[in-house]
Amino acid sequence: MTELTKEEELSIKGTCMEFCPLEEVNMRTREKMVHVLEATDTGLKLIKCYNRSAADTNMANPHLLRPYPVLLKCIHYLMFEVSKRTDMKKWFVYDFIEDRLRSVRQDMTIQRLPPEQCVELLEPMIRFYVYYSYRLCECGPNEYDPVLNKKHLLECLKWFLSCCGTLDKTKEYSPLDNIALRIEQLDLSKQKLVIDRVLVESLYILSNLNDTHPLHRYLQLPESLRRKAISTMCHAYNSKQLSVPISTFKKWLMFGDDDEAFSACKHYGLSVNNNSVIFNKAAYKDVEMPPRRRNYSAKIIQFKLEDVLTYTL
């Protein structure tokens, strides 16, 4: 029997097996506070609202909290059912889903859900915020708040990546190891949610182009992020005749110099002919590379402090 951690012992286990606690259902029905998007062809389908904490409320009651399986099912319903409503404006649908997603995160926080469950719940939220940041970019300030959307996006991104950092330290579960398997098993007809840490890491960088922290974080990431990219290239560009210049390969994967790029090709089983990389999925070796060392040929290593202070492009 697996021994519980101290945090797991202190966590609260939700017992509400519906999208909305009965107490809230009765109250909102009685007070005529049912949202129009909660009225379906088969009757009312209420989803727990985001609750701003107050001194006279106890949100930690187990019967008010939804456990992980219910939260995942709720997210799936919001993303694949409610989001398809065409009888309402997109910003109106967004506003409703966004509130219910905040409620999901609230339940996650109060219950202190483990990181492997958090990443499953957070990634669809990240995709949701990214998608609507584009779809609603032309809406007026009374309909959509891009600043608030960005705030919630970054909140989910940082939480997701923090969980990944925790999981990287364990051997029991790694969302990164499961990426390829999950994508290969994705059945669009069944609309299954997937996890793609590489995508989330990339979104984190793109969402913070004016901040150096995401780039610094990228340099600390495990080599398996780059391994995933090379594996994808071997399948996408598989050919015995066609090749990609080593300079392009180096630029794509941000190698410090040609020697580092050649070393990666040799490690992963890629052939190099006339300074061009030949991608062959049959020859690819899916083996982790040793940790990256500092690139001593990088230009900044050759600079003095005064050079850095006066450097321009």
Side-chain angles (χ1 to χ4, degrees):
M1 182 175 180
T2 304
E3 186 177 345
L4 295 177
T5 64
K6 184 177 180 180
E7 186 170 338
E8 288 174 331
E9 291 177 348
L10 296 175
S11 63
I12 301 170
K13 306 297 183 183
T15 59
C16 176
M17 303 309 293
E18 304 295 334
F19 287 171
C20 188
L22 182 60
E23 185 177 307
E24 181 180 326
V25 172
N26 293 336
M27 183 277 293
R28 289 210 281 132
T29 304
R30 182 178 63 252
E31 301 296 331
K32 301 188 185 318
M33 297 172 60
V34 177
H35 196 283
V36 64
L37 289 173
E38 294 175 313
T40 69
D41 296 336
T42 57
L44 298 181
K45 196 162 190 175
L46 275 66
I47 303 174
K48 185 179 178 181
C49 296
Y50 173 71
N51 186 6
R52 289 162 181 80
S53 59
D56 59 344
T57 60
N58 184 7
M59 297 186 296
N61 282 331
H63 72 276
L64 299 178
L65 299 171
R66 298 158 294 178
Y68 162 74
V70 178
L71 293 176
L72 186 62
K73 187 177 179 181
C74 181
I75 289 177
H76 198 281
Y77 173 72
L78 289 169
M79 299 298 183
F80 295 126
E81 298 295 333
V82 179
S83 66
K84 294 180 180 179
R85 292 283 292 267
T86 58
D87 54 332
M88 302 289 171
K89 297 287 188 180
K90 280 196 176 296
W91 64 265
F92 189 78
V93 175
Y94 162 86
D95 191 63
F96 171 77
I97 297 178
E98 200 282 316
D99 177 87
R100 280 14 181 210
L101 291 179
R102 291 184 71 187
S103 175
V104 169
R105 295 201 296 277
Q106 195 170 53
D107 281 11
M108 293 166 60
T109 301
I110 296 173
Q111 295 179 86
R112 298 182 182 181
L113 293 185
E116 61 269 22
Q117 294 181 359
C118 288
V119 294
E120 301 268 4
L121 298 171
L122 289 167
E123 174 148 352
M125 299 187 198
I126 292 170
R127 295 171 185 251
F128 167 83
Y129 288 120
V130 171
Y131 173 77
Y132 277 102
S133 68
Y134 178 78
R135 292 305 303 265
L136 302 179
C137 64
E138 295 182 351
C139 290
N142 294 330
E143 300 171 341
Y144 167 71
D145 186 346
V147 176
L148 191 60
N149 185 80
K150 179 72 173 292
K151 176 185 175 182
H152 293 151
L153 169 61
L154 291 178
E155 175 187 308
C156 293
L157 282 168
K158 292 176 180 178
W159 190 353
F160 178 97
L161 296 176
S162 175
C163 290
C164 287
T166 301
L167 293 170
D168 285 340
K169 298 175 184 178
T170 69
K171 296 181 179 180
E172 296 179 1
Y173 180 95
S174 173
L176 190 60
D177 293 338
N178 291 332
I179 287 175
L181 177 63
R182 290 174 182 273
I183 292 179
E184 288 171 4
Q185 291 183 343
L186 175 61
D187 184 348
L188 294 178
S189 65
K190 296 181 180 179
Q191 298 175 311
K192 182 180 178 181
L193 298 171
V194 295
I195 294 179
D196 190 337
R197 180 179 172 185
V198 176
L199 173 65
V200 177
E201 294 280 4
S202 302
L203 287 173
Y204 183 55
I205 294 175
L206 292 173
S207 299
N208 294 274
L209 292 177
N210 60 341
D211 189 352
T212 58
H213 177 267
L215 292 176
H216 176 73
R217 173 188 167 78
Y218 166 75
L219 296 175
Q220 309 302 318
L221 289 174
E223 183 65 29
S224 46
L225 277 166
R226 184 177 279 165
R227 185 180 77 195
K228 167 65 179 175
I230 294 176
S231 173
T232 302
M233 291 178 189
C234 284
H235 285 77
Y237 306 130
N238 180 49
S239 174
K240 294 182 179 179
Q241 288 80 31
L242 302 179
S243 60
V244 174
I246 192 70
S247 58
T248 303
F249 179 72
K250 179 183 72 174
K251 181 179 180 181
W252 282 349
L253 297 178
M254 298 180 67
F255 286 113
D257 52 34
D258 287 353
D259 289 341
E260 188 179 2
F262 280 122
S263 177
C265 290
K266 181 179 180 180
H267 179 85
Y268 291 114
L270 308 183
S271 300
V272 179
N273 187 19
N274 295 326
N275 286 328
S276 293
V277 183
I278 301 173
F279 294 102
N280 186 333
K281 64 181 181 181
Y284 171 73
K285 296 185 294 186
D286 190 21
V287 181
E288 184 71 49
M289 281 194 75
R292 278 174 284 177
R293 294 177 296 176
R294 189 170 66 161
N295 177 23
Y296 287 94
S297 64
K299 195 172 184 179
I300 192 171
I301 301 298
Q302 306 167 21
F303 282 0
K304 298 178 181 178
L305 177 59
E306 56 265 34
D307 296 327
V308 175
L309 296 175
T310 59
Y311 179 80
T312 59
L313 294 175

